Amino acid sequence: MATLTRPRPRRSVPIRLLAVVGAMLVVVVVSQVASHLGTPTSPPAPAPVVVDPLRPAIDDLDAGGINVAGADAGSDAGTATDHGVSDVARIKADIEFWSGRVARDHDDFISSNRWGISEIELARATGDLSAFLRAEAAFDTTLARDPHNDAALGYKGSVLVSLHRFVDAAALARTILGRHPSDPVALATLGDASLELGDLPAARDAYAGANDVARSAATLGRLGHLAFISGDAAGALRATTAALALADSEGAEGERAAFYHYQLADVLISTGDRVGARKQYAAALTADPGSFLAHSGLARVAAANGDFDEAIRQLSAAIAIVPQPEFLARRGDLFTMRAAAGDAKLAADDYATVEAIAKLAGEAAGVYDRTLALYLANHGLDPARAVALAGAELTFRKDVYGYDADAWALLAAGRPADAESMMSRALAFGTRDAKLLYHAGMIANALGQSDRARTLLRESLALDPSFDPLQVARARATLATLR
Amino acid sequence: MRSPRKLIGGLGLLAVAGTVAAIGAGPLLVSGADHLDSPLVKIDARVDITDVYAWRTSASTTTLAVNVNPLTAPADTKGARFRQTALYEIKVDTTGDAVADIAYRIKFSNLTRFSDGTNTQTFTVKRAIGAAARRTEWTGTTVAVGRTSRYGGTNRIAAVAGGGIAFAGPRDDPFFFDLVGFKHLKSRVLAGRQDLGTANDVTNCALADDDASARLLSCFTGSDTFAGTNVSSIVLKLPNAKLGGTGHSVGIWATTAIQTKSGWQRIDRMGRPAINTVFNITDGEKDLSNLVNPADDRSTMKDTTVAVLNALSAVVVHAGATGYTPAQINAIANTLLPDTLRIRLGSTAGFLNGRKPADDVINAEFSLVTNGALTSDGVNANDKAFLSAFPYLAAPH
């Protein structure tokens, strides 16, 4: 567990920020106490007895045989009601059930593994990273008794990816694969970690292996993400569309179902299809009304359409679920751009919260290094710190966005030549991402390469003018000076 | 879903006063999504078979049950269901060659979800015979159509054409077994340990499984790993005449397959309880035995089965009891393989003749594979009483 750096009280920190931070702390502390290993837990409340009013107790059969055309429909879609609302409640009940069994018998590896998986689900559904730490503790409970428990090792690897411990995750996955070369969980984890570390060939091999042995939405979605990073937008669209269809037949619900809609939406919007993206973000929100990702996606669409009120409303919904620094920074930008009465103060509050979160995270603040570097560079704040943060992360995480963040921070620090050197490495990945093209264009402009800057900025805006409202406005303004 | 917005409103004052004090409690963590974490790769529990049952329910009827969705926690049972792009089959060999002669095929469709999180599905049962029964395909004569029973609701039962009734839905897991204790036993046997020791030896159990002092029985606690958990069950009560005839011995097993572009892909197969758990050592072996058919079992599984039986026999001898001869081990392996649940239709005998939900199959298998030296895992009954009437399996937790 990380120790915490106690921040100095800041007079400029607004009351609202303190309220947000306080609420987050309460959430974290309460959830840590609730599933503490040694805490005896009460059994889940009995389920209500509900009699289905729609059908008689006995379904009579037409003895002559029944035409069952349609009975083999290939979808798990149902007549939906308001499912999804209780997903977090269900996950918390699972956590109580499995952690309670572990409390009674620490040797019960089945329960400790399932407890860990439930914590991962909670972290994904709520954005509460402390659940990942509890997941790690649960898997470590299994591993303390059985260091070779591959299920625990495999899922622990996925937790390490989520905690940005990519090098550890890859090493752990390779340990499992040494014994079981086709373990799909380990292959997926190795792929995830390799992708984040910038080793695309390793990611490709691992994902292909996982897809061979366990073709599923989870493997196709990963291949889709890899295709996008590799610059194959058409392949990304195919794979994420297929992943969504497969997720449906796999019976994915709640956060899991929402994820595949969200992922497809991200590919669509990154290729300029805001209408298609909006539909998928909305579908994600229907599948999981608590999907903060879906809210953030809808905000992105609204902002690109110039509807700042709606964008702010959607981001506020996301922030109410989980106050991610990215959401706060984006909302601050939208307040700045809307410039209605009081918006300047609201923007300042959001910006202050971004930094406070990173500070409060203590040693775990590494999770936010890249986010913070980009935030500082985007807002002309403390360029030396932005360069230090991005550069430190780049020492081990050499992915496309690592080079990009470093380049953007270097430009903010007034080092466009160094920035270009880093940006060329980012562009070498081939990723078709408007943000990268924008950064490259602004770097070219700073170097006086007007033609190149014009081309890159035009390309960026043509590809996806939704990537960041404030930066898109800057791209347009810069382009205007180049005409 | 917790409501941070309400928390923020309600706790605002507390937060202002308490932020500095609370900071010492631990790191503040919200997700820093500079990358998007993909969901876990998981096997689909809906096509993961836990157990197969076949038992006499009257002089002229036999009930067959196959369970999936292992270790479903109560909160998850509400939403538990069958996979609609899957084919569930119960195969029957009536000629003793481990090749299916009759197949009951079940598919699910028309999922309806309710606002309380429960659901129902339509189930359709087809019956195929002869060569068609051997294949994995959605063919045959439709003999039943019904709806699954809703969690917490009334049991819904569909009639089967030609006699019989059918049920599908959530049930208490009827299996009872100290799987945690067994896993240590197996690991310790495979590590070469031979001292039996005694159950509930906490100190010895705490040793690593490959520790030279580790004893085989010390981790058995009498705790039923499956207590309090649920499964999704398919239960068919059928006239013996539809299964080969009263007095006839048949072999029963279940399979699951999922729909892919290139056809049905086998996911799981099971006959007798715990055969895969006990006799296959590596994940690869377990996967292989799921993929092949019973007729292939002796060629794919017999070596590991004999190896495990030899190891257990050595343990028995080490404990001063009488082990099996190689010829006996060969005979036992040939009894256990092919892995089909053999039952003489209409016979009142219990496991190894068929399998009743209440049969303590683990005790029976322990006794069989150790020549009577080990007779119990310490868990001798299910955590819930079985029903006296169809579908016999207890309501879910």
Side-chain angles (χ1 to χ4, degrees), chain A residues 52 145 250 253 320 324 368, chain B residues 4 30-31 46 113 156 205:
Chain A
D52 179 1
R145 286 294 279 129
E250 289 168 4
E253 290 192 322
Q324 278 192 4
Y368 308 120
Chain B
V30 295
S31 51
R46 297 172 302 173
R113 285 183 277 214
R156 293 151 58 146
C205 177

Side-chain angles (χ1 to χ4, degrees), chain A residues 71-293:
Chain A
D72 55 352
S75 166
D76 213 20
T79 310
T81 53
D82 55 348
H83 63 282
V85 174
S86 59
D87 211 29
V88 171
R90 175 188 64 77
I91 295 167
K92 287 184 173 173
D94 284 349
I95 288 170
E96 194 174 350
F97 181 79
W98 295 115
S99 65
R101 284 170 52 120
V102 175
R104 289 190 290 278
D105 179 6
H106 283 228
D107 213 20
D108 181 353
F109 65 97
I110 287 173
S111 296
S112 44
N113 285 352
R114 287 192 176 238
W115 172 27
I117 290 169
S118 297
E119 292 283 5
I120 292 173
E121 289 180 354
L122 184 67
R124 294 183 59 85
T126 63
D128 175 4
L129 281 197
S130 68
F132 281 126
L133 295 177
R134 293 193 297 275
E136 186 183 11
F139 298 128
D140 282 343
T141 304
T142 302
L143 295 168
R145 286 294 279 129
D146 178 8
H148 299 303
N149 188 300
D150 284 332
L153 286 169
Y155 290 124
K156 180 177 176 177
S158 81
V159 169
L160 296 180
V161 169
S162 295
L163 293 173
H164 288 213
R165 285 151 61 186
F166 306 115
V167 175
D168 294 343
L172 201 155
R174 287 199 173 93
T175 301
I176 300 168
L177 293 168
R179 290 195 291 271
H180 307 297
S182 57
D183 183 297
V185 175
L187 285 167
T189 296
L190 181 60
D192 292 347
S194 300
L195 193 60
E196 294 300 329
L197 293 169
D199 187 349
L200 265 50
R204 192 168 290 117
D205 284 352
Y207 284 166
N211 196 53
D212 281 348
V213 294
R215 187 178 183 275
S216 58
T219 60
L220 284 175
R222 283 174 164 83
L223 284 168
H225 181 50
L226 175 65
F228 181 80
I229 296 295
S230 307
D232 176 9
L237 195 56
R238 274 197 308 277
T240 53
T241 302
L244 176 61
L246 207 48
D248 180 45
S249 72
E250 289 168 4
E253 290 192 322
E255 184 276 331
R256 202 173 171 93
F259 176 86
Y260 295 105
H261 285 291
Y262 177 83
Q263 194 186 32
L264 173 57
D266 264 7
V267 173
L268 288 169
I269 202 165
S270 298
T271 53
D273 182 0
R274 288 212 294 280
V275 174
R278 196 194 177 289
K279 199 173 147 193
Q280 292 300 330
Y281 287 133
L285 197 59
T286 302
D288 176 15
S291 174
F292 49 90
L293 293 174

Side-chain angles (χ1 to χ4, degrees), chain B residues 88-103:
Chain B
Y88 300 82
E89 289 191 275
I90 300 175
K91 304 271 202 183
V92 185
D93 161 31
T94 61
T95 56
D97 59 0
V99 173
D101 301 295
I102 301 167

Side-chain angles (χ1 to χ4, degrees), chain A residues 371-429:
Chain A
T371 302
L372 200 55
L374 288 169
Y375 164 77
L376 294 171
N378 278 340
H379 296 88
L381 301 165
D382 201 347
R385 188 168 159 226
V387 170
L389 286 168
E393 193 181 50
L394 194 57
T395 58
F396 69 97
R397 191 179 173 198
K398 299 180 192 300
D399 67 322
V400 53
Y401 294 109
Y403 286 113
D404 170 62
D406 199 41
W408 194 234
L410 287 165
L411 179 68
R415 294 163 58 187
D418 293 336
E420 195 203 17
S421 164
M422 285 298 151
M423 201 65 223
S424 67
R425 296 198 191 187
L427 294 176
F429 281 81

Side-chain angles (χ1 to χ4, degrees), chain B residues 32-394:
Chain B
D34 69 27
H35 71 279
L36 194 60
D37 293 323
S38 295
L40 292 175
V41 174
K42 290 200 287 194
I43 65 154
D44 187 344
R46 297 172 302 173
V47 286
D48 184 0
I49 301 170
T50 67
D51 283 284
V52 179
Y53 298 83
W55 74 102
R56 175 193 193 272
T57 38
S58 76
S60 62
T61 64
T62 298
T63 296
L64 311 177
V66 54
N67 295 335
V68 295
N69 270 328
L71 291 157
T72 306
D76 287 334
T77 309
K78 263 187 170 186
R81 58 181 183 269
F82 296 91
R83 179 166 174 155
Q84 298 195 164
T85 51
L87 182 59
Y88 300 82
E89 289 191 275
I90 300 175
K91 304 271 202 183
V92 185
D93 161 31
T94 61
T95 56
D97 59 0
V99 173
D101 301 295
I102 301 167
Y104 282 89
R105 297 180 168 135
I106 303 97
K107 272 192 106 261
F108 296 85
S109 60
N110 300 328
L111 172 67
T112 302
R113 285 183 277 214
F114 299 94
S115 56
D116 64 351
T118 61
N119 66 74
T120 63
Q121 293 169 288
T122 296
F123 66 82
T124 304
V125 185
K126 288 178 186 274
R127 182 174 190 272
I129 56 171
R134 285 171 214 160
R135 296 190 287 268
T136 297
E137 58 186 25
W138 183 228
T139 59
T141 306
T142 298
V143 294
V145 177
R147 290 291 284 182
T148 59
S149 295
R150 199 167 157 186
Y151 180 65
T154 310
N155 287 338
R156 293 151 58 146
I157 296 161
V160 177
I165 45 180
F167 166 94
R171 296 280 92 188
D172 158 64
D173 188 346
F175 191 41
F176 44 97
F177 181 25
D178 183 352
L179 179 58
V180 175
F182 176 76
K183 186 162 183 300
H184 285 291
L185 177 142
K186 185 173 177 181
S187 296
R188 291 174 180 203
V189 167
L190 292 174
R193 306 285 80 79
Q194 295 195 326
D195 290 342
L196 286 177
T198 55
N200 274 313
D201 183 345
V202 176
T203 308
N204 190 270
C205 177
L207 297 173
D209 288 334
D210 56 2
D211 189 289
S213 304
R215 298 193 187 98
L216 304 184
L217 302 182
S218 55
C219 293
F220 283 100
T221 60
S223 171
D224 174 8
T225 307
F226 301 89
T229 68
N230 300 316
V231 291
S232 298
S233 303
I234 299 167
V235 190
L236 303 177
K237 182 176 185 175
L238 298 166
N240 290 340
K242 294 288 183 186
L243 297 170
T246 300
H248 199 75
S249 277
V250 300
I252 311 276
W253 68 98
T255 65
T256 55
I258 59 170
Q259 212 163 26
T260 69
K261 279 181 183 165
S262 51
W264 293 103
Q265 180 195 338
R266 170 82 63 79
I267 300 295
D268 203 357
R269 168 177 71 100
M270 187 169 185
R272 285 200 182 98
I275 294 296
N276 210 348
T277 307
V278 174
F279 292 110
N280 281 319
I281 296 166
T282 68
D283 291 343
E285 287 162 359
K286 288 178 185 172
D287 290 346
L288 178 62
S289 77
N290 285 332
L291 295 177
V292 303
N293 289 311
D296 304 315
D297 279 345
R298 286 187 190 171
S299 62
T300 56
M301 268 186 75
K302 191 167 169 184
D303 287 352
T304 61
T305 302
V306 167
V308 172
L309 287 169
N310 272 323
L312 290 170
S313 191
V315 168
V316 169
V317 170
H318 183 79
T322 306
Y324 284 125
T325 65
Q328 287 172 317
I329 284 175
N330 188 57
I332 292 168
N334 284 341
T335 301
L336 295 175
L337 303 175
D339 179 22
T340 70
L341 188 56
R342 302 288 303 169
I343 179 170
R344 182 174 294 279
L345 300 172
S347 165
T348 55
F351 191 72
L352 300 167
N353 177 62
R355 180 184 181 186
K356 296 193 290 287
D359 281 341
D360 193 335
V361 295
I362 294 299
N363 285 1
E365 286 187 350
F366 270 19
S367 186
L368 175 70
V369 301
T370 64
N371 202 10
L374 285 182
T375 56
S376 177
D377 67 334
V379 182
N380 300 322
N382 190 39
D383 59 322
K384 280 192 110 176
F386 296 111
L387 308 180
S388 57
F390 191 82
Y392 304 109
L393 307 180

